[in-house]
Amino acid sequence: MAKLRVGVVSPEREIWSGEADMVIAKTIDGEIGIMPKHAPVLGVLVEGGVLTVKRGGGESDLIAAVHGGFLSVADDEVSILAELAELGSEVDVAAAKDALQRAQASIEANQEDADAAVAAKRARARLRAAGEEVG
């Protein structure tokens, strides 16, 4: 079976690269699933999205919190260029829960707090990537 070549990078570092059967990401136009032989695509990633890389062959899925950036697909190569990204296995769950509580408190105090809304989206994505239930 054909495989995708996948690279996930942020300005700080290469997050992950390897082969996969499928990539699922959330763009501003909705969720997109990429499999081998997919048509070329360029998409804008949402703030606070979760990226899933299905590796197949008995390997567990790779899950990452992705905060903005771009997805590019061409010739069975998927490039995720994220503004910020963190593997689910690297998430400090306690810190992410704390960040979510602080952001929600700030939003309750000031409904128009755009920075707190972004912080809440990021914290939720980090928790989902770590496999935590988020309300």
Side-chain angles (χ1 to χ4, degrees):
M1 176 179 191
K3 293 276 193 177
L4 296 167
R5 292 178 309 282
V6 181
V8 182
V9 298
S10 73
E12 293 83 29
R13 66 186 176 114
E14 179 181 63
I15 307 298
W16 184 83
S17 68
E19 291 189 337
D21 291 338
M22 184 176 192
V23 174
I24 302 167
K26 190 165 185 178
T27 70
I28 59 171
D29 294 319
E31 195 167 68
I32 185 169
I34 306 294
M35 295 179 70
K37 308 296 182 198
H38 197 283
V41 171
L42 180 61
V44 178
L45 299 170
V46 298
E47 183 69 45
V50 175
L51 171 73
T52 303
V53 178
K54 296 193 172 284
R55 297 189 275 186
E59 291 188 68
S60 62
D61 294 348
L62 178 92
I63 301 178
V66 178
H67 311 292
F70 298 91
L71 168 134
S72 172
V73 179
D75 300 323
D76 286 343
E77 187 164 325
V78 180
S79 298
I80 307 292
L81 310 167
E83 292 175 23
L84 289 169
E86 184 176 14
L87 293 175
S89 60
E90 299 172 345
V91 171
D92 179 339
V93 173
K97 286 180 178 179
D98 183 54
L100 180 58
Q101 289 176 345
R102 285 193 321 267
Q104 288 174 328
S106 182
I107 291 168
E108 288 173 11
N110 179 5
Q111 293 293 324
E112 296 179 20
D113 190 342
D115 291 337
V118 169
K121 284 181 184 179
R122 288 183 176 181
R124 283 188 189 98
R126 292 178 69 221
L127 289 168
R128 283 192 308 270
E132 295 289 314
E133 290 292 322
V134 181

